[in-house]
């Protein structure tokens, strides 16, 4: 029989992560694809920046844990990249500090075990006019601008190369379709189901192409308890049963050819 201990894929970050389990969200899609193969765990905290994320690393990812994650997908940056508020309060983190924080986060995650892999997601673009419609004057003194999103995204990609971890540039990936600004967001900041599809596609491409042992690509993993059973539904021949352990649902088929 297969082991009952599944690999853990942990999603760690701010609201882009917290909301990823919404209907059609990228976290929910990953959890569905990894059914019977891995546990996708949500550790998302809306409003957080890299400063706060850094302070909880030992609590969320203790180094002495009996079971360490096989993969951690990290997202911080959107809140860090907001404009500084005149009061000194708010989520803004200067770019140099943001990169230093992310370096510490990545190194902590890599140190959890020899088999713990890390993927970093950069800040996506934003639809500035949609933000104004959705939030009015809320962000007037702490604006989200694409020029800042680009700078933070590019800096994180460079850091990932330096630390030999996988980095996905969502700022560029989401803009690969002409109508990205109209379809990618629910409020100009957070991802719609269309925006989430881009994230899933990019994550699956990285996992599929990565030279990792064990292989964490969903189609390459053996489902938990894959054995035949006489208690499954009986086939038309009346003599055998239908093992659905490897069955791919219709809504999952769009993710087969990545």
């Amino acid at each position: 029989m297969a082991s009952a201990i599944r690999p853990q894929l942990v999603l760690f970050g701010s609201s882009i992560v917290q909301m990823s389990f919404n209907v059609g969200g990228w976290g929910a899609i990953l959890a569905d694809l990894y059914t019977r193969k891995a546990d996708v765990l949500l550790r998302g905290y809306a409003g957080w920046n890299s400063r706060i994320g850094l302070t909880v690393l030992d609590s969320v990812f203790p180094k002495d844990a009996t079971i360490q994650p096989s993969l951690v997908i990290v997202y911080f940056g959107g809140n860090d990249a907001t404009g500084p508020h005149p009061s000194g309060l708010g989520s803004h983190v200067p770019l140099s500090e943001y990169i230093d924080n992310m370096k510490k986060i990545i190194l902590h995650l890599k140190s959890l075990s020899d088999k713990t892999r890390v993927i970093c997601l950069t800040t996506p673009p934003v639809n500035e006019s949609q933000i104004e419609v959705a939030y009015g004057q809320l962000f007037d003194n702490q604006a989200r601008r694409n020029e800042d999103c680009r700078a933070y995204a590019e800096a994180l990609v460079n850091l990932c190369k330096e630390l030999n971890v996988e980095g996905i540039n969502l700022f560029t990936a989401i803009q690969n379709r002409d109508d990205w600004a109209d379809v990618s967001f629910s409020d100009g900041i957070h991802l719609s189901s269309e925006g989430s599809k881009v994230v899933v596609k990019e994550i699956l491409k990285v996992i599929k192409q990565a030279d990792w042992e064990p292989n964490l690509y969903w189609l390459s993993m053996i489902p938990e308890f894959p054995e035949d059973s006489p208690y499954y539904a009986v086939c038309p021949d009346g003599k055998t049963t239908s093992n659905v352990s490897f069955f791919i649902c219709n809504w999952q088929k769009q993710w087969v050819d990545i």
Side-chain angles (χ1 to χ4, degrees):
M1 297 287 283
S3 170
I5 300 177
R6 300 181 184 182
Q8 293 183 353
L9 313 185
V10 183
L11 316 182
F12 177 53
S14 56
S15 56
I16 293 289
V17 173
Q18 179 175 317
M19 297 179 183
S20 72
F21 267 37
N22 290 351
V23 176
W26 60 274
I29 295 172
L30 289 176
D32 178 62
L33 295 180
Y34 280 91
T35 297
R36 296 182 69 161
K37 297 179 178 180
D39 290 331
V40 180
L41 306 180
L42 184 64
R43 298 294 182 268
Y45 308 91
W48 281 24
N49 58 19
S50 62
R51 282 179 184 164
I52 309 176
L54 186 60
T55 66
V56 303
L57 277 180
D58 289 326
S59 298
V60 180
F61 300 101
K63 292 188 177 183
D64 60 353
T66 303
I67 300 174
Q68 295 293 359
S70 297
L71 172 64
V72 183
I73 301 176
V74 187
Y75 170 78
F76 288 106
N79 294 323
D80 300 68
T82 58
H85 193 274
S87 68
L89 301 172
S91 63
H92 172 74
V93 175
L95 180 56
S96 59
E97 182 190 343
Y98 166 69
I99 291 302
D100 186 55
N101 292 343
M102 292 304 297
K103 183 174 184 178
K104 292 174 181 175
I105 290 172
I106 293 168
L107 292 177
H108 179 93
L109 296 174
K110 289 184 68 176
S111 74
L112 294 177
S113 79
D114 293 338
K115 299 296 185 181
T116 297
R117 313 301 182 183
V118 179
I119 297 175
C120 290
L121 308 178
T122 77
T123 179
V126 295
N127 182 329
E128 297 176 28
S129 60
Q130 190 179 7
I131 293 173
E132 185 176 353
V133 172
Y135 295 100
Q137 298 179 325
L138 180 62
F139 295 122
D140 280 2
N141 291 318
Q142 44 198 326
R144 296 170 183 261
R145 297 188 177 91
N146 275 317
E147 59 190 84
D148 298 317
C149 294
R150 177 187 292 108
Y152 281 66
E154 292 175 351
L156 181 58
V157 169
N158 290 334
L159 176 65
C160 289
K161 292 177 181 177
E162 174 189 328
L163 299 180
N164 194 31
V165 299
E166 299 291 344
I168 296 174
N169 192 335
L170 293 182
F171 186 83
T172 56
I174 284 180
Q175 295 186 74
N176 280 335
R177 55 185 293 176
D178 293 338
D179 60 348
W180 67 269
D182 299 322
V183 302
S184 300
F185 311 102
S186 60
D187 57 3
I189 300 171
H190 303 104
L191 299 172
S192 65
S193 58
E194 287 300 310
S196 284
K197 288 178 182 178
V198 176
V199 180
V200 174
K201 180 179 179 180
E202 295 301 317
I203 290 173
L204 292 181
K205 282 166 55 179
V206 166
I207 297 175
K208 183 178 182 179
Q209 296 169 7
D211 185 21
W212 293 342
E213 182 61 40
N215 192 324
L216 297 177
Y217 184 55
W218 72 290
L219 288 175
S220 299
M221 297 176 72
I222 302 299
E224 187 178 50
F225 305 126
E227 298 82 8
D228 289 332
S229 170
Y231 304 115
Y232 283 133
V234 180
C235 293
D237 62 12
K239 299 177 181 180
T240 59
T241 57
S242 178
N243 187 335
V244 295
S245 301
F246 295 87
F247 182 73
I248 297 176
C249 301
N250 287 334
W251 58 84
Q252 296 174 328
K253 291 180 180 178
Q254 64 182 302
W255 306 110
V256 170
D257 297 320
I258 296 296

